[in-house]
Amino acid sequence: MIVWLNGTFGAGKTTTAKELIALLPGSRLFDTEEVGVMLRHVLSTEPVRDFQDWQPWRGLVVAAATQILDYVGGILVVPQSVLVHQYWREIRAGLETADIPLRHFVLHADRDELLRRIETDSTMPNSTWRLEHLDDYDDARAWHHQEAHVIDTTDLRPSQVATLIAADALRTTQS
């Protein structure tokens, strides 16, 4: 199974993912940004705004997830923003073809809270790149609400969000 944590930067995906792995036996973090890093040196002559714009990224995410789950089983937790609907459809279709169960969550926070989190992030304070993607997130919210379970993280701690997601994932694996 894959538990995909979507949403914009500052919503709490990475922190929640770390908390979630502690709650889900046999789970592992799959940082799909590493696939983008791998492709950067190979596709550096193909300029894009975001590594997700490279079609091989989307295909390799599905292939890697499939290989990892075939090898070790369990649950992959993927904290990755996907804000382009077509890209999400490609990933979802690939996982469906591979017969991998998918639980898709969008972690949401009010814009003021997102701005506060981005501005005060200890690793990347005031990240221009993160701030520039807030409008992309707003544009994606309509399809996110149709295709994912949205959790408002504005007033929740990551441990609370992880507990909600873990309960859903465990219910899904037991049914």
Side-chain angles (χ1 to χ4, degrees):
M1 170 192 289
I2 291 180
V3 175
W4 197 291
L5 305 180
N6 203 339
T8 196
F9 309 97
K13 297 179 305 297
T14 302
T15 307
T16 298
K18 291 173 184 173
E19 297 271 350
L20 184 57
I21 287 170
L23 300 174
L24 294 174
S27 64
R28 299 165 188 270
L29 181 70
F30 178 32
D31 184 353
T32 60
E33 285 194 26
E34 294 298 327
V35 176
V37 169
M38 177 189 72
L39 289 174
R40 277 197 180 111
H41 78 279
V42 177
L43 299 176
S44 62
T45 59
E46 305 297 319
V48 293
R49 179 177 176 228
D50 186 302
F51 60 75
Q52 292 182 17
D53 296 335
W54 288 318
Q55 189 284 325
W57 177 82
R58 301 181 302 275
L60 286 170
V61 164
V62 171
T66 302
Q67 291 287 320
I68 293 165
L69 288 171
D70 284 349
Y71 187 64
V72 295
I75 298 171
L76 291 182
V77 176
V78 180
Q80 180 67 58
S81 295
V82 179
L83 304 178
V84 177
H85 196 195
Q86 179 57 36
Y87 298 172
W88 178 252
R89 285 191 296 247
E90 290 175 34
I91 292 166
R92 186 189 65 225
L95 296 172
E96 286 172 358
T97 298
D99 203 29
I100 297 173
L102 172 67
R103 298 296 298 143
H104 182 202
F105 297 89
V106 171
L107 306 188
H108 170 78
D110 294 340
R111 192 171 187 101
D112 288 344
E113 177 64 12
L114 289 170
L115 290 170
R116 187 195 68 73
R117 291 178 188 179
I118 292 169
E119 290 167 358
T120 61
D121 185 283
S122 61
T123 58
M124 294 175 57
N126 290 309
S127 167
T128 303
W129 196 86
R130 289 176 174 189
L131 292 168
E132 288 173 352
H133 282 76
L134 289 177
D135 289 339
D136 295 336
Y137 171 67
D138 287 339
D139 293 342
R141 288 184 64 201
W143 70 264
H144 279 169
H145 279 273
Q146 293 174 348
E147 298 193 24
H149 180 89
V150 178
I151 299 174
D152 190 334
T153 68
T154 303
D155 297 318
L156 296 176
R157 293 184 313 277
S159 61
Q160 294 172 300
V161 177
T163 298
L164 291 170
I165 294 169
D168 178 277
L170 291 170
R171 216 174 17 256
T172 302
T173 58
Q174 294 169 354
S175 50

